[in-house]
Amino acid sequence: MTSERIGEYANDLTLYKGKLFNSDTYAYNFYCLFAKTYGFSVRRGHSYRRNKNNIEEIYKRKFICHRAGVAKQNKISEVEKQRRRKSSRCNCSAKLLISKRTFGFEEKWMVTCFENSHNHVLLDEKEIRFLPAYRDIPINDQARILLLSKVGCSVSLIMRVLEAEKGIEAGHLPFLDKDIRNFIKSQSSIDKDNDASDVLKLCKGLKDKDYAFQYDFTLDENNKSEHIIWVFGDSIRAYEAFGDVVVFDTTYRINRYDMPLGLWVGVDNHGNSIFFGCSFVRFVKGKCPQTILTDQDHALKEAVSTELPNTKHVFCIWHIATKLPTWFSFLLGTEYDDFKTEFYRLYNLECESDFEQQWDFMVERFHVTYLKEFFFAGMTTTGRSESINSYIKRFLDVGVAVNIRNQAGEEARMRQKYHNPLMKTIFPIEEHAASILTLYAFELLQHEIELSAKYAATAIDNDSYSVRHHTKLDGGRSVTWIKEKNSIYCSCKQFEFSGILCRHAIRVLLKNDYFSIPKEYLPSRWRRESSLIPQSRHIINYNDNSFVEFRSLVQCLEVESLKTKDRVEVATKELKKVIHYLKGSRAKGGVEVAKKSRHCHYPNCGGTDHDSRNCPIKRKKDSLLASQSSPNK
């Protein structure tokens, strides 16, 4: 019965023997509304059947209190222990019995027995809504829940959205979070076989829109989809620039399929987590990352060593750190906190020999190695791990993961255009770095430049320096500076690890009157997009806005053209015309300039490739005037 039809009885919820209903469904819904008002719920009991004119029909129904009957005792052996569900049944005798009656030519359902005596406490208005019988999710809400779940919203977030849309207080929805969770789970098992084909259709549609989009799939022995991989064209281009360090994460699963979702994630030059895709190495022209971070999966370790033999494979430090309590808290007891402090101290050691001497037993247990000489782009830090975790949690559905793009990077590029970096020192190398690096990378380097002022650099010989904090009398870092090669090396290995020059090396550069940082220590992966474009020695550098606008248009042309095959063809055709036109232009003052088209200014002409001196309209008019003025005419 709909809420509108139930509303017919809202003002009269009396039940008595002899009351008539148009159908057994009306009778049941009326009893449900009655029960909700008085603090209990009902369920369908026994149905009585008979043969009438060789047709079986139901002629009597029993509806009972939800606490009627007694709990069934299931025999469960000790070996097969299960979670025992609590039962609310207490053998309550409250019931409603209805029978089919014929009045003339019309059939009705009559109440033949009504007992409203309960042997349990009835619930009040605030408690009744928690009964499962009254926690049905309306159809409109079901569609909304599925949509929000598809785009990656958590159950708690879905509840907040529904509460805000309905304008009700938190916790006052007619259903609970576990009802939403159960509903999503029940829907996830529907039509799984078609989902794989839907994903392939989605990939094909994306391929039609984005010519550079790549995807592939494999089939199992039953000719069903087994694996699907994909990657966007702009993700491929991003991998070419920022694929030096990759996190391959398989710790998240697509729940509706109970299958792992393997994601290639990196960090761009703005410090944002960037999605490379779910791709084979062949999609990226066989380019392998310098370093790949994974969870401690030994099968994955073997696969990486086989497929990426030249890539440094390491376990993510945050995965190791999260398992430390499981491994050692019980064994070490009260000493665990001291052990954890020592763990991180040894992890940050800068000397491999010191590390091995002090941590031999850790190497045996954790199979870790010395990592400071390998490039990680800051991917091993706790903050980076949290960023990647929150990024990956958005992929709660395959379709969402297929469609995800690098919006954070696009926003960062936009902010780069109107944010002016704030200078914090008087050192020229700071201004130099600000003109080349992205805001993210510059702020990291700027922090090191600021701190370098607190360090003293003492020359040991021609190439070596000892750099220590001004409050320390001994110790410090060893910095090697080779002037002839314009190279610098610090024992802390921060540059090798993150691509950001350390305060110790900067202090030595400042001591030797450097006004700019050597280009080798401003790696391309931390530079602005414009500086990633190779410079030609024939190109003249402009400092005005026209050159900035030109580069912006070039980047926009590339992004828009590569979206479809038709756009690529149109752009290629028109670019060939532009290049041909530019090559034919005359040089003026050492700069290639386009030859100006001649325009005719003769009245009513406006043609090109001639002027008023040789305008065909003018010649025709002059000829006509001459013939009219001839004396022979």
Side-chain angles (χ1 to χ4, degrees), residues 114-372:
F114 172 57
E115 294 183 11
N116 197 33
S117 177
H118 300 266
N119 63 353
H120 55 87
V121 177
L122 299 178
L123 304 177
D124 60 28
E125 183 179 356
K126 294 181 180 179
E127 297 169 330
I128 191 66
R129 66 188 185 90
F130 292 110
L131 287 179
Y134 304 122
R135 300 205 314 256
D136 288 336
I137 301 177
I139 294 179
N140 291 339
D141 289 341
Q142 290 180 10
R144 189 74 171 139
I145 289 170
L146 290 178
L147 177 63
L148 292 172
S149 176
K150 185 178 180 63
V151 299
C153 294
S154 64
V155 172
S156 59
L157 180 57
I158 291 175
M159 292 192 70
R160 301 293 86 77
V161 171
L162 294 177
E163 288 166 351
E165 290 179 343
K166 297 176 182 295
I168 61 179
E169 295 181 6
H172 282 71
L173 286 172
F175 42 85
L176 306 179
D177 55 349
K178 64 180 180 181
D179 300 318
I180 296 179
R181 193 172 290 106
N182 291 336
F183 170 69
I184 294 174
K185 185 176 181 180
S186 67
Q187 295 298 306
S188 66
S189 61
I190 298 176
D191 204 19
K192 281 187 178 179
D193 292 337
N194 292 333
D195 281 352
S197 59
D198 290 342
V199 172
L200 291 177
K201 289 179 182 178
L202 175 61
C203 288
K204 185 179 183 303
L206 291 170
K207 179 69 174 177
D208 295 336
K209 297 177 182 179
D210 181 359
Y211 180 66
F213 180 84
Q214 301 288 332
Y215 73 98
D216 201 353
F217 62 94
T218 60
L219 302 176
D220 61 15
E221 62 275 6
N222 298 319
N223 205 34
K224 292 185 177 182
S225 296
E226 184 178 29
H227 303 115
I228 300 176
I229 59 172
W230 64 87
V231 61
F232 279 97
D234 51 7
S235 293
I236 294 177
R237 291 186 289 275
Y239 178 82
E240 292 174 356
F242 311 116
D244 42 15
V245 180
V246 170
V247 172
F248 182 57
D249 199 299
T250 58
T251 60
Y252 292 85
R253 305 184 73 84
I254 300 296
N255 291 330
R256 70 185 295 177
Y257 309 100
D258 193 31
M259 295 178 62
L261 176 63
L263 302 174
W264 286 49
V265 181
V267 57
D268 65 9
N269 54 338
H270 297 282
N272 296 311
S273 297
I274 182 172
F275 176 55
F276 291 136
C278 300
S279 59
F280 288 137
V281 175
R282 64 181 176 85
F283 280 168
V284 288
K285 302 176 183 178
K287 176 182 176 180
C288 299
Q290 296 178 25
T291 309
I292 185 168
L293 297 93
T294 71
D295 190 12
Q296 288 182 290
D297 187 314
H298 293 287
L300 187 58
K301 179 181 179 181
E302 294 179 3
V304 171
S305 63
T306 302
E307 300 295 330
L308 305 172
N310 298 321
T311 297
K312 181 63 181 178
H313 176 216
V314 297
F315 295 140
C316 297
I317 186 61
W318 61 85
H319 284 148
I320 296 175
T322 57
K323 295 177 181 178
L324 288 181
T326 304
W327 289 336
F328 295 106
S329 61
F330 178 76
L331 293 175
L332 299 178
T334 57
E335 296 180 347
Y336 172 70
D337 289 338
D338 295 335
F339 162 78
K340 187 168 61 173
T341 301
E342 185 70 3
F343 175 92
Y344 287 108
R345 185 187 73 81
L346 296 179
Y347 170 75
N348 289 304
L349 285 175
E350 64 183 48
C351 179
E352 183 174 4
S353 60
D354 292 342
F355 177 89
E356 292 179 347
Q357 290 175 4
Q358 301 179 42
W359 209 2
D360 286 341
F361 73 98
M362 298 293 285
V363 171
E364 295 177 2
R365 293 189 182 185
F366 295 112
H367 303 287
V368 295
T369 187
Y370 184 72
L371 303 174
K372 281 294 184 74

Side-chain angles (χ1 to χ4, degrees), residues 451-544:
L451 292 178
S452 68
K454 297 183 179 181
Y455 286 76
T458 304
I460 299 176
D461 53 39
N462 292 335
D463 297 333
S464 300
Y465 290 82
S466 175
V467 181
R468 59 177 177 79
H469 195 268
H470 72 94
T471 60
K472 302 292 180 63
L473 298 177
D474 53 9
R477 309 293 185 177
S478 176
V479 177
T480 302
W481 171 63
I482 303 176
K483 180 179 180 181
E484 295 74 17
K485 296 182 179 180
N486 208 28
S487 66
I488 194 164
Y489 170 83
C490 180
S491 62
C492 78
K493 299 182 179 66
Q494 176 173 300
F495 178 77
E496 290 80 1
F497 191 72
S498 65
I500 300 297
L501 205 59
C502 66
R503 64 200 71 172
H504 319 107
I506 292 173
R507 184 68 187 91
V508 173
L509 292 179
L510 292 174
K511 186 178 182 67
N512 288 277
D513 299 330
Y514 272 73
F515 298 110
S516 62
I517 294 179
K519 62 180 181 180
E520 294 83 3
Y521 301 100
L522 297 172
S524 60
R525 70 121 46 242
W526 293 132
R527 297 190 178 200
R528 300 184 183 189
E529 281 70 18
S530 59
S531 62
L532 294 174
I533 301 175
Q535 292 280 349
S536 170
R537 60 186 178 90
H538 300 292
I539 295 177
I540 295 177
N541 290 322
Y542 290 93
N543 294 321
D544 58 11

Side-chain angles (χ1 to χ4, degrees), residues 581 585-586 588 593-599 609:
Y581 182 75
S585 61
R586 294 182 300 175
K588 181 178 181 181
V593 296
K595 185 191 302 181
K596 292 184 178 180
S597 300
R598 297 180 353 180
H599 291 272
D609 297 329

Side-chain angles (χ1 to χ4, degrees), residues 94-105:
K95 62 184 177 182
L96 179 72
L97 193 66
I98 58 174
S99 299
K100 186 184 291 186
R101 296 284 190 271
T102 302
F103 296 91
F105 298 100

